[in-house]
Amino acid sequence: MNEFLALALTGAVSGAVYSLIAAGLVLTHSTSGTFNFAFGAIAFCVAFTFFELHSGLHYPVWVSALICLLGVGPLLGLALDLLVFRGLAAADDTAKVVATIGLSIALPALAVWLSERLNSWFDLKLPSADNVVFPVGIGPSPKKTWHLSNSIIVDSTQILILACAAGVALLLWVLQKHTALGLRMRATVDRRGLAEMRGIDIGRTSTIAWMLGVTVAGFTGILAAPILALAPGSYTSIFFVAAAAAVIARLRSLPIALLAGLAIGIGQNLAVGYATFTQNVVGLGTAVPFIFLFAGLLAMSRDRSRIAGVAAASPSPPSFVDDLPMWRRRLPWAVAAVLLAGYTMFLADALWLGLVVAGLALGVVFLSLVVVCGIGGMVSLAQAALVTVSGLTAGLLISHGAPFLVAAVGGILAAVTLGLLLALPAMRLGGLALALATLALALVSDSILFQWTRLSNGPLGWTYTRPKIGFIDLADDRSMAVALAVVLVVVSWLMHNLQHSASGRAMLAVRSSAVAASTAGVSSVRTKLVVFGVSSAIAGLGGVLLSTVNLGLTFQSYQAPLGLTWLAAVVLFGIRRVEGAILAGLVVSLAPQLLSMVTSSTRVPDILFGLGAVALARNPDGAIADMSEKLARGRSRRRAARRPGPVPSPSATVVRERVAPAGVAGPIHDSAALSVRSLSARYGLVPVLHDIDLTVRPGSIFALLGSNGAGKSTLCSVLSGLHRQTTGTIHVEDADVSGWGADERSRQGLVIAPESRGIFPRLTVEENVAVWVHNGAQRREVYDRFPSLAARKKVAAGSLSGGEQQMLALAPVVVRKPVVLVADEPSLGLAPRIAGEVMQTLISLRDAGVGILIVEERPRRVLEVADEVAFLELGRITWHGHPSDVSDDMLTANVLGASISR
């Protein structure tokens, strides 16, 4: 019994650290939508700062702790939010994962580099972080110990860690669930755009969330420092373990994260102490948390709760070269290829030639990421495991006398086998969950599979000899470069054909919507297996080639964390582009040597990698897309300058004196609830809205009708402030809100009821009401007027019926009346009776003096209550008048998308 208690106690201490990290991960994910892979790196940076303040500058422990927790942590969180995460708020999971991976590499290097620079500049003699095994923490030093029995020993550090873990988790839970700030944070993650339209300052909310999250990470780092070596690798390793606890908590529940972290820590110790069979499988004890992580992700996929009101899709990146002829598109890459070939064949010395060859081999590996992430839309963090298994398998076969080509095929088949195993989670998971599942399997492979001596040949690994194929001797680097260039061309050509084949179209269909693809007869299971199979085959080929270039490998050559770095590199240049993968391979190989020519610091390359994360926040589609966009905008400006344009009217600058076109709307006057003048908007370089003029008066309903694709939803988005207009003005009463954000417009009285239901599906009905109605008496009034909502206050809004969701979206507006309400397709998808109730609600708002703009595709019910009607066609208002003047022919033309003249 004493042995059991001793194991459980020491395991609980490790588990408490896991719990703190898991709680921090839950906090940042549930409030910002980002799974922070840089949590361990942040914890190290703050702990390192604490170490330098106390051990280097000799500040007292409590002063060092206060500086770190009240100064360094919040300021670092503020900087990360402003520079990185705010720009990635609307990005997909790939960009968010890669940004945090980049920071996990850059931040520790930046912290150590700054320490070195301070020593150099000011002769501070700050101690190095190398080999600091037992740094001082915030507890008593030396620590106090108590002997509860012969085998149970408790020290002050252990008690402090356990108490702090429980306290921090409790405080974070109260913040998240029982404060207005926590509600705003969760609403922002649930539906960011809607949160803005409901008056939430998402910039401020995001900043507070990251300041809190980074502070929690820093506190964890300082607290855990005495039981960890002060090294980035230690914090990264413990982060991977703690991720399992966060996943078991479904990235939402702080209490479950706390308990799961404790359970993992205790379970690890008990497994080591009692499960003697684990000693027969090398690495099994280390892999236990990763197995928990994988199992927790599969359990998450069983969540069948209905979350209506949202649709998630990863749109294809815009093309900025469609205006160019094909030869113009290909010319820059052809020139670059010729220059690289000329340099490699005639100018490069042995060092640079070897680096180019290694970069080309990496390019083959990186092409596999284009297939699985760029084309398939699935984030895989296991490419390093695929490279390792192919290299080890080929090396094993070569050691048994197999010819090189046979061994290469064997290595590729081994990678495909492991890749299809990785595809199994993709049958149930997607996005971040799939990324973590593939990472878990890669870590299990590192811990168990690659430790198998028969496969890996132990620490020695396998030695390769470059083969001679026909008259081509690959021992010569120039011959190897030519061979790799041929492989890259062939693989790129095959990928191009794949994208334009039936299988490629199936991949794009499944990526956009697996449900819609299945209705068209496309099997998502078969398609995902093809994606992973093809990607794994390319990664396996790249692994064999990379091992051949490097003349061998060991099981430690390409471990799972390196795969995260590879993914980050490819995304920084463009994960959906073949050119981006090849360029990333060359940069990863050449950059360290290039940087060594301008700086002697080994930290600078990692720091620059972090700057890539900042660049990614500016354009999540990568550097190539960023450059293409800038060039396209430059071409557009030059063309516009060459074309004679219309002479601007003086009324364009003096808007309040402008007289609207006859029959459309009167001049702007003080009684207008909403006034829109000369409003135009575009998506990228494509104009969508053209010179929109309309006026919505208080206590009136203005119906804007138009067919699908006319620009109605775009107009609503522009009015809300989520999409910026290119020209024109928007007034709410007397205020010009044209340059205001969505939250500011909402607080001014401009409220949008969006087409996809204006609810936060993961929040309860009560929390949805509280987001907009802050006064308790007004909330009670909502439930008095809508008793069906009162009966379901504790139910997640996403589980309501469509009619109930629409009522929930409008109910708070009825109580807290806005100046103007813009209702985008308010009756879409509703039964006639429910649609009638929604219309009666809008009528009651009109009678209370609210100006209402109803945007509809099916107009007959709206015409019965509207005071004014206008038709929108291809982004232009083509007719305006009284509802009684609308003929059946006009309605028919509207449905068919035909032109309606004034």
Short mmCIF file of all heavy atoms in Angstrom, two decimals, residues 786-846:
data_model
loop_
_atom_site.label_atom_id
_atom_site.label_comp_id
_atom_site.label_asym_id
_atom_site.label_seq_id
_atom_site.Cartn_x
_atom_site.Cartn_y
_atom_site.Cartn_z
N PHE A 786 -41.04 35.23 -24.82
CA PHE A 786 -40.78 34.01 -25.60
C PHE A 786 -40.68 32.83 -24.62
O PHE A 786 -39.58 32.36 -24.30
CB PHE A 786 -39.49 34.15 -26.41
CG PHE A 786 -39.53 35.25 -27.43
CD1 PHE A 786 -39.09 36.53 -27.11
CD2 PHE A 786 -40.01 35.01 -28.71
CE1 PHE A 786 -39.12 37.55 -28.05
CE2 PHE A 786 -40.05 36.03 -29.66
CZ PHE A 786 -39.61 37.30 -29.32
N PRO A 787 -41.80 32.35 -24.11
CA PRO A 787 -41.77 31.29 -23.09
C PRO A 787 -41.13 29.99 -23.59
O PRO A 787 -40.59 29.22 -22.79
CB PRO A 787 -43.25 31.09 -22.75
CG PRO A 787 -44.00 31.70 -23.89
CD PRO A 787 -43.16 32.81 -24.41
N SER A 788 -41.17 29.73 -24.91
CA SER A 788 -40.55 28.50 -25.40
C SER A 788 -39.04 28.53 -25.20
O SER A 788 -38.40 27.50 -24.99
CB SER A 788 -40.86 28.30 -26.88
OG SER A 788 -40.34 29.36 -27.67
N LEU A 789 -38.44 29.71 -25.25
CA LEU A 789 -37.01 29.84 -24.98
C LEU A 789 -36.72 29.71 -23.49
O LEU A 789 -35.69 29.15 -23.10
CB LEU A 789 -36.49 31.19 -25.49
CG LEU A 789 -36.57 31.44 -27.00
CD1 LEU A 789 -36.03 32.83 -27.34
CD2 LEU A 789 -35.82 30.37 -27.77
N ALA A 790 -37.61 30.19 -22.67
CA ALA A 790 -37.43 30.09 -21.22
C ALA A 790 -37.37 28.63 -20.78
O ALA A 790 -36.62 28.28 -19.86
CB ALA A 790 -38.56 30.81 -20.49
N ALA A 791 -38.13 27.78 -21.46
CA ALA A 791 -38.16 26.37 -21.08
C ALA A 791 -36.88 25.65 -21.47
O ALA A 791 -36.64 24.54 -21.01
CB ALA A 791 -39.36 25.69 -21.74
N ARG A 792 -36.04 26.28 -22.31
CA ARG A 792 -34.83 25.60 -22.80
C ARG A 792 -33.59 26.46 -22.57
O ARG A 792 -32.64 26.44 -23.35
CB ARG A 792 -34.98 25.29 -24.29
CG ARG A 792 -36.29 24.57 -24.64
CD ARG A 792 -36.26 24.03 -26.04
NE ARG A 792 -35.33 22.93 -26.17
CZ ARG A 792 -35.06 22.30 -27.33
NH1 ARG A 792 -35.66 22.69 -28.43
NH2 ARG A 792 -34.19 21.32 -27.37
N LYS A 793 -33.58 27.19 -21.47
CA LYS A 793 -32.49 28.14 -21.19
C LYS A 793 -31.13 27.45 -21.10
O LYS A 793 -30.12 28.03 -21.48
CB LYS A 793 -32.76 28.90 -19.89
CG LYS A 793 -33.86 29.94 -20.00
CD LYS A 793 -33.82 30.91 -18.84
CE LYS A 793 -34.12 30.22 -17.52
NZ LYS A 793 -34.22 31.21 -16.42
N LYS A 794 -31.09 26.25 -20.59
CA LYS A 794 -29.82 25.57 -20.36
C LYS A 794 -29.39 24.70 -21.54
O LYS A 794 -28.36 24.03 -21.47
CB LYS A 794 -29.92 24.69 -19.11
CG LYS A 794 -30.29 25.46 -17.84
CD LYS A 794 -29.27 26.53 -17.51
CE LYS A 794 -29.63 27.25 -16.22
NZ LYS A 794 -28.65 28.33 -15.91
N VAL A 795 -30.15 24.74 -22.63
CA VAL A 795 -29.88 23.90 -23.80
C VAL A 795 -28.92 24.63 -24.74
O VAL A 795 -29.03 25.85 -24.92
CB VAL A 795 -31.19 23.54 -24.53
CG1 VAL A 795 -30.91 22.78 -25.81
CG2 VAL A 795 -32.08 22.73 -23.60
N ALA A 796 -28.00 23.90 -25.35
CA ALA A 796 -27.11 24.51 -26.36
C ALA A 796 -27.94 25.02 -27.53
O ALA A 796 -28.82 24.32 -28.04
CB ALA A 796 -26.08 23.50 -26.84
N ALA A 797 -27.68 26.25 -27.96
CA ALA A 797 -28.51 26.87 -28.99
C ALA A 797 -28.46 26.10 -30.30
O ALA A 797 -29.42 26.10 -31.06
CB ALA A 797 -28.07 28.31 -29.21
N GLY A 798 -27.34 25.43 -30.56
CA GLY A 798 -27.22 24.69 -31.81
C GLY A 798 -28.14 23.50 -31.90
O GLY A 798 -28.35 22.95 -32.98
N SER A 799 -28.70 23.07 -30.77
CA SER A 799 -29.61 21.92 -30.78
C SER A 799 -31.06 22.32 -30.98
O SER A 799 -31.93 21.45 -31.05
CB SER A 799 -29.47 21.12 -29.47
OG SER A 799 -29.89 21.91 -28.38
N LEU A 800 -31.33 23.62 -31.06
CA LEU A 800 -32.70 24.09 -31.30
C LEU A 800 -33.10 23.86 -32.74
O LEU A 800 -32.26 23.70 -33.63
CB LEU A 800 -32.80 25.58 -30.96
CG LEU A 800 -32.46 26.02 -29.54
CD1 LEU A 800 -32.58 27.53 -29.43
CD2 LEU A 800 -33.34 25.35 -28.51
N SER A 801 -34.40 23.88 -32.97
CA SER A 801 -34.90 23.80 -34.35
C SER A 801 -34.60 25.11 -35.07
O SER A 801 -34.24 26.13 -34.44
CB SER A 801 -36.40 23.55 -34.35
OG SER A 801 -37.09 24.68 -33.83
N GLY A 802 -34.75 25.10 -36.39
CA GLY A 802 -34.47 26.31 -37.16
C GLY A 802 -35.33 27.48 -36.73
O GLY A 802 -34.86 28.61 -36.61
N GLY A 803 -36.62 27.22 -36.48
CA GLY A 803 -37.51 28.29 -36.04
C GLY A 803 -37.12 28.83 -34.68
O GLY A 803 -37.13 30.05 -34.45
N GLU A 804 -36.77 27.94 -33.77
CA GLU A 804 -36.36 28.37 -32.44
C GLU A 804 -35.07 29.18 -32.50
O GLU A 804 -34.90 30.16 -31.77
CB GLU A 804 -36.19 27.15 -31.53
CG GLU A 804 -37.49 26.47 -31.15
CD GLU A 804 -37.27 25.17 -30.41
OE1 GLU A 804 -36.27 24.47 -30.72
OE2 GLU A 804 -38.08 24.84 -29.53
N GLN A 805 -34.17 28.78 -33.38
CA GLN A 805 -32.93 29.54 -33.53
C GLN A 805 -33.20 30.95 -34.05
O GLN A 805 -32.60 31.92 -33.58
CB GLN A 805 -31.98 28.81 -34.48
CG GLN A 805 -31.39 27.54 -33.90
CD GLN A 805 -30.40 26.89 -34.85
OE1 GLN A 805 -29.81 27.56 -35.69
NE2 GLN A 805 -30.21 25.59 -34.72
N GLN A 806 -34.10 31.07 -35.00
CA GLN A 806 -34.42 32.40 -35.52
C GLN A 806 -35.10 33.25 -34.46
O GLN A 806 -34.82 34.45 -34.34
CB GLN A 806 -35.32 32.27 -36.76
CG GLN A 806 -35.49 33.56 -37.56
CD GLN A 806 -34.19 34.03 -38.17
OE1 GLN A 806 -33.26 34.46 -37.49
NE2 GLN A 806 -34.11 33.95 -39.50
N MET A 807 -35.95 32.64 -33.66
CA MET A 807 -36.58 33.37 -32.57
C MET A 807 -35.53 33.81 -31.54
O MET A 807 -35.57 34.93 -31.02
CB MET A 807 -37.64 32.50 -31.89
CG MET A 807 -38.93 32.36 -32.68
SD MET A 807 -39.71 33.98 -32.91
CE MET A 807 -41.13 33.51 -33.90
N LEU A 808 -34.58 32.92 -31.25
CA LEU A 808 -33.52 33.27 -30.32
C LEU A 808 -32.68 34.42 -30.86
O LEU A 808 -32.22 35.28 -30.09
CB LEU A 808 -32.64 32.05 -30.05
CG LEU A 808 -31.42 32.25 -29.15
CD1 LEU A 808 -31.84 32.76 -27.79
CD2 LEU A 808 -30.64 30.95 -29.01
N ALA A 809 -32.46 34.46 -32.16
CA ALA A 809 -31.68 35.54 -32.76
C ALA A 809 -32.41 36.88 -32.65
O ALA A 809 -31.78 37.92 -32.47
CB ALA A 809 -31.38 35.22 -34.22
N LEU A 810 -33.75 36.85 -32.75
CA LEU A 810 -34.51 38.09 -32.75
C LEU A 810 -34.99 38.51 -31.37
O LEU A 810 -35.23 39.69 -31.13
CB LEU A 810 -35.73 37.95 -33.68
CG LEU A 810 -35.43 37.78 -35.17
CD1 LEU A 810 -36.71 37.52 -35.95
CD2 LEU A 810 -34.73 39.02 -35.71
N ALA A 811 -35.11 37.53 -30.44
CA ALA A 811 -35.70 37.84 -29.13
C ALA A 811 -34.97 38.95 -28.39
O ALA A 811 -35.61 39.89 -27.89
CB ALA A 811 -35.75 36.57 -28.29
N PRO A 812 -33.64 38.91 -28.28
CA PRO A 812 -32.97 40.01 -27.57
C PRO A 812 -33.16 41.36 -28.26
O PRO A 812 -33.20 42.39 -27.58
CB PRO A 812 -31.49 39.59 -27.58
CG PRO A 812 -31.50 38.12 -27.83
CD PRO A 812 -32.68 37.88 -28.71
N VAL A 813 -33.29 41.36 -29.58
CA VAL A 813 -33.46 42.60 -30.32
C VAL A 813 -34.81 43.23 -30.01
O VAL A 813 -34.97 44.45 -29.98
CB VAL A 813 -33.31 42.34 -31.83
CG1 VAL A 813 -33.48 43.62 -32.63
CG2 VAL A 813 -31.95 41.72 -32.11
N VAL A 814 -35.81 42.36 -29.77
CA VAL A 814 -37.16 42.86 -29.46
C VAL A 814 -37.13 43.65 -28.16
O VAL A 814 -37.83 44.66 -28.01
CB VAL A 814 -38.15 41.69 -29.37
CG1 VAL A 814 -39.51 42.16 -28.87
CG2 VAL A 814 -38.30 41.03 -30.73
N VAL A 815 -36.33 43.20 -27.21
CA VAL A 815 -36.27 43.86 -25.90
C VAL A 815 -35.34 45.07 -25.94
O VAL A 815 -35.69 46.16 -25.49
CB VAL A 815 -35.82 42.86 -24.83
CG1 VAL A 815 -35.62 43.56 -23.49
CG2 VAL A 815 -36.83 41.74 -24.69
N ARG A 816 -34.16 44.87 -26.49
CA ARG A 816 -33.19 45.97 -26.59
C ARG A 816 -33.21 46.47 -28.03
O ARG A 816 -32.40 46.09 -28.85
CB ARG A 816 -31.80 45.46 -26.21
CG ARG A 816 -30.74 46.54 -26.14
CD ARG A 816 -29.39 45.92 -25.82
NE ARG A 816 -28.32 46.87 -26.08
CZ ARG A 816 -27.02 46.57 -26.05
NH1 ARG A 816 -26.66 45.33 -25.77
NH2 ARG A 816 -26.11 47.48 -26.30
N LYS A 817 -34.13 47.35 -28.31
CA LYS A 817 -34.44 47.74 -29.68
C LYS A 817 -33.30 48.54 -30.30
O LYS A 817 -32.83 49.52 -29.73
CB LYS A 817 -35.74 48.55 -29.72
CG LYS A 817 -36.95 47.77 -29.25
CD LYS A 817 -38.19 48.62 -29.25
CE LYS A 817 -39.38 47.81 -28.78
NZ LYS A 817 -39.22 47.35 -27.38
N PRO A 818 -32.88 48.17 -31.51
CA PRO A 818 -31.82 48.92 -32.20
C PRO A 818 -32.42 50.09 -32.98
O PRO A 818 -33.64 50.27 -33.04
CB PRO A 818 -31.24 47.87 -33.14
CG PRO A 818 -32.42 47.01 -33.49
CD PRO A 818 -33.27 46.96 -32.25
N VAL A 819 -31.54 50.86 -33.60
CA VAL A 819 -31.99 51.92 -34.50
C VAL A 819 -32.47 51.31 -35.81
O VAL A 819 -33.52 51.68 -36.33
CB VAL A 819 -30.85 52.93 -34.74
CG1 VAL A 819 -31.27 53.97 -35.78
CG2 VAL A 819 -30.44 53.60 -33.44
N VAL A 820 -31.68 50.38 -36.33
CA VAL A 820 -32.04 49.73 -37.59
C VAL A 820 -31.65 48.26 -37.50
O VAL A 820 -30.60 47.91 -36.95
CB VAL A 820 -31.34 50.41 -38.80
CG1 VAL A 820 -29.84 50.37 -38.66
CG2 VAL A 820 -31.77 49.78 -40.11
N LEU A 821 -32.51 47.40 -38.03
CA LEU A 821 -32.26 45.96 -38.07
C LEU A 821 -32.17 45.53 -39.52
O LEU A 821 -33.09 45.80 -40.31
CB LEU A 821 -33.39 45.20 -37.36
CG LEU A 821 -33.35 43.68 -37.49
CD1 LEU A 821 -32.13 43.10 -36.77
CD2 LEU A 821 -34.62 43.05 -36.93
N VAL A 822 -31.08 44.86 -39.88
CA VAL A 822 -30.90 44.31 -41.22
C VAL A 822 -31.10 42.80 -41.10
O VAL A 822 -30.30 42.11 -40.47
CB VAL A 822 -29.51 44.63 -41.79
CG1 VAL A 822 -29.35 44.02 -43.17
CG2 VAL A 822 -29.30 46.13 -41.84
N ALA A 823 -32.18 42.29 -41.69
CA ALA A 823 -32.52 40.86 -41.62
C ALA A 823 -32.22 40.21 -42.95
O ALA A 823 -32.89 40.49 -43.96
CB ALA A 823 -33.99 40.68 -41.24
N ASP A 824 -31.21 39.33 -42.97
CA ASP A 824 -30.79 38.65 -44.19
C ASP A 824 -31.52 37.31 -44.29
O ASP A 824 -31.25 36.40 -43.50
CB ASP A 824 -29.27 38.44 -44.17
CG ASP A 824 -28.74 37.90 -45.49
OD1 ASP A 824 -29.52 37.79 -46.45
OD2 ASP A 824 -27.53 37.59 -45.55
N GLU A 825 -32.45 37.20 -45.24
CA GLU A 825 -33.23 35.97 -45.45
C GLU A 825 -33.82 35.46 -44.14
O GLU A 825 -33.56 34.32 -43.71
CB GLU A 825 -32.34 34.88 -46.09
CG GLU A 825 -31.65 35.29 -47.37
CD GLU A 825 -32.54 35.11 -48.60
OE1 GLU A 825 -33.75 34.81 -48.42
OE2 GLU A 825 -32.04 35.27 -49.72
N PRO A 826 -34.65 36.25 -43.45
CA PRO A 826 -35.14 35.83 -42.13
C PRO A 826 -36.05 34.61 -42.15
O PRO A 826 -36.19 33.93 -41.14
CB PRO A 826 -35.90 37.06 -41.63
CG PRO A 826 -36.29 37.80 -42.87
CD PRO A 826 -35.18 37.57 -43.85
N SER A 827 -36.69 34.31 -43.31
CA SER A 827 -37.60 33.16 -43.37
C SER A 827 -36.97 31.95 -44.06
O SER A 827 -37.66 30.96 -44.30
CB SER A 827 -38.89 33.56 -44.10
OG SER A 827 -38.60 33.94 -45.44
N LEU A 828 -35.66 32.02 -44.34
CA LEU A 828 -35.01 30.94 -45.09
C LEU A 828 -35.08 29.63 -44.31
O LEU A 828 -34.68 29.55 -43.15
CB LEU A 828 -33.55 31.31 -45.36
CG LEU A 828 -32.73 30.28 -46.14
CD1 LEU A 828 -33.25 30.17 -47.57
CD2 LEU A 828 -31.25 30.66 -46.14
N GLY A 829 -35.59 28.58 -44.95
CA GLY A 829 -35.61 27.25 -44.36
C GLY A 829 -36.63 27.05 -43.27
O GLY A 829 -36.59 26.03 -42.57
N LEU A 830 -37.56 27.97 -43.08
CA LEU A 830 -38.55 27.86 -42.01
C LEU A 830 -39.89 27.40 -42.56
O LEU A 830 -40.27 27.71 -43.70
CB LEU A 830 -38.73 29.21 -41.30
CG LEU A 830 -37.47 29.81 -40.64
CD1 LEU A 830 -37.83 31.10 -39.94
CD2 LEU A 830 -36.83 28.83 -39.68
N ALA A 831 -40.64 26.67 -41.73
CA ALA A 831 -42.00 26.27 -42.08
C ALA A 831 -42.86 27.53 -42.18
O ALA A 831 -42.58 28.54 -41.52
CB ALA A 831 -42.55 25.32 -41.04
N PRO A 832 -43.93 27.50 -42.99
CA PRO A 832 -44.77 28.70 -43.17
C PRO A 832 -45.25 29.30 -41.85
O PRO A 832 -45.27 30.53 -41.69
CB PRO A 832 -45.93 28.18 -44.02
CG PRO A 832 -45.35 27.03 -44.77
CD PRO A 832 -44.37 26.40 -43.85
N ARG A 833 -45.67 28.47 -40.89
CA ARG A 833 -46.17 29.01 -39.62
C ARG A 833 -45.07 29.74 -38.87
O ARG A 833 -45.27 30.85 -38.35
CB ARG A 833 -46.73 27.88 -38.76
CG ARG A 833 -47.30 28.36 -37.42
CD ARG A 833 -47.82 27.19 -36.60
NE ARG A 833 -46.75 26.29 -36.21
CZ ARG A 833 -45.96 26.50 -35.15
NH1 ARG A 833 -46.11 27.58 -34.42
NH2 ARG A 833 -45.02 25.63 -34.85
N ILE A 834 -43.87 29.14 -38.82
CA ILE A 834 -42.76 29.77 -38.11
C ILE A 834 -42.33 31.04 -38.84
O ILE A 834 -42.01 32.06 -38.22
CB ILE A 834 -41.58 28.80 -37.98
CG1 ILE A 834 -42.01 27.53 -37.24
CG2 ILE A 834 -40.42 29.45 -37.28
CD1 ILE A 834 -42.47 27.79 -35.83
N ALA A 835 -42.32 30.99 -40.18
CA ALA A 835 -41.97 32.18 -40.95
C ALA A 835 -42.95 33.32 -40.67
O ALA A 835 -42.55 34.48 -40.58
CB ALA A 835 -41.96 31.85 -42.44
N GLY A 836 -44.23 32.96 -40.50
CA GLY A 836 -45.23 33.98 -40.16
C GLY A 836 -44.96 34.61 -38.80
O GLY A 836 -45.11 35.83 -38.62
N GLU A 837 -44.53 33.79 -37.82
CA GLU A 837 -44.22 34.31 -36.50
C GLU A 837 -43.01 35.24 -36.55
O GLU A 837 -42.97 36.28 -35.88
CB GLU A 837 -43.95 33.16 -35.53
CG GLU A 837 -45.18 32.31 -35.24
CD GLU A 837 -44.85 31.16 -34.30
OE1 GLU A 837 -43.71 31.12 -33.79
OE2 GLU A 837 -45.72 30.31 -34.09
N VAL A 838 -42.03 34.87 -37.36
CA VAL A 838 -40.86 35.73 -37.51
C VAL A 838 -41.26 37.06 -38.13
O VAL A 838 -40.82 38.14 -37.68
CB VAL A 838 -39.78 35.03 -38.38
CG1 VAL A 838 -38.68 36.00 -38.76
CG2 VAL A 838 -39.22 33.83 -37.65
N MET A 839 -42.14 37.01 -39.13
CA MET A 839 -42.57 38.25 -39.77
C MET A 839 -43.35 39.13 -38.80
O MET A 839 -43.22 40.36 -38.80
CB MET A 839 -43.40 37.92 -41.00
CG MET A 839 -43.44 39.05 -42.02
SD MET A 839 -41.79 39.52 -42.62
CE MET A 839 -41.27 38.00 -43.39
N GLN A 840 -44.17 38.51 -37.94
CA GLN A 840 -44.91 39.29 -36.95
C GLN A 840 -43.96 39.96 -35.97
O GLN A 840 -44.20 41.10 -35.53
CB GLN A 840 -45.88 38.37 -36.19
CG GLN A 840 -47.14 38.01 -36.98
CD GLN A 840 -47.92 39.26 -37.38
OE1 GLN A 840 -48.20 39.48 -38.56
NE2 GLN A 840 -48.27 40.07 -36.40
N THR A 841 -42.87 39.28 -35.63
CA THR A 841 -41.87 39.89 -34.76
C THR A 841 -41.25 41.12 -35.41
O THR A 841 -41.06 42.16 -34.77
CB THR A 841 -40.77 38.86 -34.42
OG1 THR A 841 -41.36 37.72 -33.80
CG2 THR A 841 -39.73 39.46 -33.50
N LEU A 842 -40.96 41.01 -36.71
CA LEU A 842 -40.40 42.17 -37.42
C LEU A 842 -41.41 43.31 -37.50
O LEU A 842 -41.03 44.49 -37.39
CB LEU A 842 -39.98 41.73 -38.83
CG LEU A 842 -38.84 40.71 -38.90
CD1 LEU A 842 -38.57 40.31 -40.35
CD2 LEU A 842 -37.57 41.25 -38.26
N ILE A 843 -42.67 42.98 -37.67
CA ILE A 843 -43.70 44.02 -37.72
C ILE A 843 -43.79 44.75 -36.38
O ILE A 843 -43.92 45.99 -36.32
CB ILE A 843 -45.06 43.39 -38.10
CG1 ILE A 843 -45.02 42.91 -39.55
CG2 ILE A 843 -46.20 44.40 -37.91
CD1 ILE A 843 -46.25 42.11 -39.96
N SER A 844 -43.71 43.98 -35.27
CA SER A 844 -43.77 44.62 -33.96
C SER A 844 -42.58 45.55 -33.75
O SER A 844 -42.71 46.61 -33.12
CB SER A 844 -43.82 43.55 -32.86
OG SER A 844 -42.60 42.84 -32.80
N LEU A 845 -41.42 45.17 -34.27
CA LEU A 845 -40.25 46.05 -34.18
C LEU A 845 -40.46 47.32 -35.00
O LEU A 845 -40.12 48.42 -34.56
CB LEU A 845 -39.01 45.31 -34.65
CG LEU A 845 -38.40 44.29 -33.69
CD1 LEU A 845 -37.33 43.46 -34.39
CD2 LEU A 845 -37.80 44.98 -32.46
N ARG A 846 -41.04 47.17 -36.19
CA ARG A 846 -41.32 48.35 -37.01
C ARG A 846 -42.28 49.28 -36.30
O ARG A 846 -42.08 50.50 -36.26
CB ARG A 846 -41.92 47.91 -38.35
CG ARG A 846 -42.28 49.09 -39.26
CD ARG A 846 -43.19 48.67 -40.39
NE ARG A 846 -44.47 48.19 -39.88
CZ ARG A 846 -45.44 47.70 -40.66
NH1 ARG A 846 -45.27 47.62 -41.96
NH2 ARG A 846 -46.59 47.29 -40.12
#
